Amino acid sequence: MYSSQPSPHERRKSRFKKWLSKLFKAGSANNGGLGEGNMVRPPFKKNEDDHYWAGREKGELDQSIASSLAKDSQRPNGQKKPGTENDEDLARSLHDNLNPSKEPPYPPPYAPSCAPWDYNARGCRKCGGCQRDIGSGNYLGCMGTFFHPECFLCHACGFPITEFEFSLSGNNSYHKSCFKELTHPKCEVCRQFIPTNGAGLIEYRCHPFWSQKYCPSHENDGTKRCCSCERIESHNTRYVSLGDGRSLCLECMESAILDTGDCQQLYHSIRDFYEGMNMAIDQQIPMLLVERQALNEAIEGEKHGFHHMPETRGLCISEEQTVTGILKRQRMAVRGLVGIRTQPQKLTRKCEVTAILVIYGLPRLLTGAILAHELMHAWLRLKGFRNLNPEVEEGICQVLSQMWLESEVIPGSRNMPSTSTVSSSSTWSYSKKGGKSGVENKLGEFFLHQIAHDASPAYGAGFRAANAAVNKYGLRRTLDHIRLTGSFPL
């Protein structure tokens, strides 16, 4: 049998391996881990035996390193024994592990780069909320940052998030309910969250001018819609019923014209507007404010003419008829307007135009726009414009309606005279200085929007063709061309 004694180098290497084995064994037994994901960790507790063995191993390692360095220093010219460089590097590495420096350790490899794990100079976890040490208490790890449980707050309401599920947006955390309140649209009619459709998408309706968002169901569930501005009645407002199936919102009600006497002043001011453009109407044409039913009956009695569907709000008639007009202003009641007084009136034909009828209860600016439109029909008939197709006649009438609205809402536009200086009725929403209120101006902008975006062939496409001709050639030259050709100039 042969035997041999291990060399000093091998013995030293064996001792290092034993220390290394003990160190990994102790490290695996005491591994507390960092907070992963959104887990709450309890504080790690070490027993007294762990402290004892850790101190003993540290002392043995220090003694071994000191002995090895002393032997090397005794060699001539400071030469080191071959093969000891790696041993010394390993010893220093183990010494550094048992004697950590004051620099903070590296973050764990799974920590997001956008929010680094925070440690203080002593290597303790640092709360991302209060910026204080977490110490030995419970903590939560989220988005690569540690938090005290009471410091993990909702970015919207400011209260701690205690639920297992929550929402994230960027680097901000939210309660799921708070996040839904911020991001999920609510219906402006019922004030409930707009439901999702069968595909899981949020589907809603939005008014193109007022941007009123509402559930699609409100278009068919009987919810009232203002007959003037088209806004749908919301849960905290009540519209005024006009008694004929129409309803009016409170903003439109402020300047509504409710009887024929109240409308006469506006009617004459619009006739003055035509005269200011050298388009005076010489005949005295009667004007009546009528109910919906009376207007429909007058439409049936008219032998010719194109009417805006689904509902006509004004009419220039040429036939002799008996029409029921509204003579007395109504008063407000809980259920709507009451006390309406009407009187049948026989309209006889004294010229090409018998009368102008306008449905009652509309705001001043909309009533005026309808009157301006119907007066243009009257002017065309009185001036001998015959057999015009609906696109041409309704289109040029809409241009005059738009001109009058612009003169009221945008003073100075197209250098047209304004009728704002005419004294107003007590029901019109004028300020003390004689100007219109902001609410009425906004309504005027909406009525202009309606004219410009009408989708019907006559009132929509006809207006846009007429407006382009007037902008290019002027109103007078456009009218002369219509008289000669029955069409708009190109």
Side-chain angles (χ1 to χ4, degrees), residues 99-167:
N99 297 275
S101 64
K102 294 184 179 181
E103 297 297 327
Y106 291 102
Y110 48 80
S113 60
C114 60
W117 299 80
D118 290 330
Y119 292 83
N120 61 14
R122 299 186 302 279
C124 295
R125 299 179 183 91
K126 184 178 178 183
C127 177
C130 65
Q131 302 301 318
R132 295 195 297 268
D133 294 345
I134 293 178
S136 60
N138 292 342
Y139 69 92
L140 182 141
C142 177
M143 300 181 294
T145 308
F146 301 118
F147 294 92
H148 292 111
E150 64 273 13
C151 294
F152 189 54
L153 306 178
C154 173
H155 190 69
C157 67
F159 287 97
I161 300 176
T162 58
E163 296 85 353
F164 287 104
E165 294 185 359
F166 55 89
S167 299

Side-chain angles (χ1 to χ4, degrees), residues 151-355:
C151 294
F152 189 54
L153 306 178
C154 173
H155 190 69
C157 67
F159 287 97
I161 300 176
T162 58
E163 296 85 353
F164 287 104
E165 294 185 359
F166 55 89
S167 299
L168 292 175
S169 179
N171 290 329
N172 297 324
S173 54
Y174 298 87
H175 292 109
K176 294 193 74 175
S177 58
C178 293
F179 190 73
K180 184 176 182 180
E181 190 75 26
L182 286 173
T183 59
H184 194 117
K186 276 189 173 182
C187 174
E188 296 181 25
V189 176
C190 63
R191 299 305 301 169
Q192 302 298 317
F193 290 113
I194 296 177
T196 55
N197 58 17
L201 303 176
I202 299 173
E203 181 182 357
Y204 60 87
R205 301 291 183 265
C206 183
H207 194 280
F209 182 83
W210 303 107
S211 300
Q212 184 187 34
K213 298 181 179 65
Y214 55 91
C215 303
S217 59
H218 296 313
E219 292 188 337
N220 303 309
D221 62 0
T223 304
K224 294 180 180 178
R225 185 188 293 268
C226 179
C227 65
S228 168
C229 67
E230 298 182 351
R231 284 176 287 189
I232 296 181
E233 182 182 52
S234 62
H235 74 293
N236 57 352
T237 61
R238 287 295 175 265
Y239 285 6
V240 178
S241 175
L242 296 177
D244 56 2
R246 296 180 298 143
S247 296
L248 207 63
C249 72
L250 298 181
E251 290 185 356
C252 291
M253 191 66 197
E254 286 183 4
S255 60
I257 299 180
L258 303 174
D259 60 53
T260 302
D262 195 20
C263 193
Q264 291 299 321
Q265 206 167 39
L266 177 63
Y267 175 54
H268 289 296
S269 70
I270 297 173
R271 289 176 63 104
D272 293 340
F273 173 80
Y274 270 80
E275 187 174 352
M277 294 189 297
N278 298 318
M279 296 173 62
I281 300 174
D282 300 328
Q283 303 292 331
Q284 293 299 318
I285 303 171
M287 187 279 302
L288 293 177
L289 231 57
V290 298
E291 294 180 285
R292 193 184 207 178
Q293 181 61 30
L295 186 61
N296 291 335
E297 291 174 357
I299 293 173
E300 294 175 1
E302 189 75 2
K303 293 180 180 179
H304 63 277
F306 183 83
H307 310 296
H308 196 183
M309 300 302 289
E311 182 177 41
T312 300
R313 294 183 288 194
L315 182 65
C316 178
I317 61 176
S318 301
E319 307 296 327
E320 294 189 357
Q321 297 188 36
T322 299
V323 178
T324 302
I326 298 177
L327 300 181
K328 184 178 180 181
R329 183 182 306 170
Q330 303 91 330
R331 58 184 176 86
M332 290 290 300
V334 176
R335 63 180 183 274
L337 296 174
V338 297
I340 186 171
R341 180 181 174 185
T342 62
Q343 178 179 341
Q345 184 171 347
K346 183 174 178 60
L347 300 175
T348 58
R349 181 174 179 179
K350 298 180 180 179
C351 61
E352 290 293 326
V353 179
T354 304

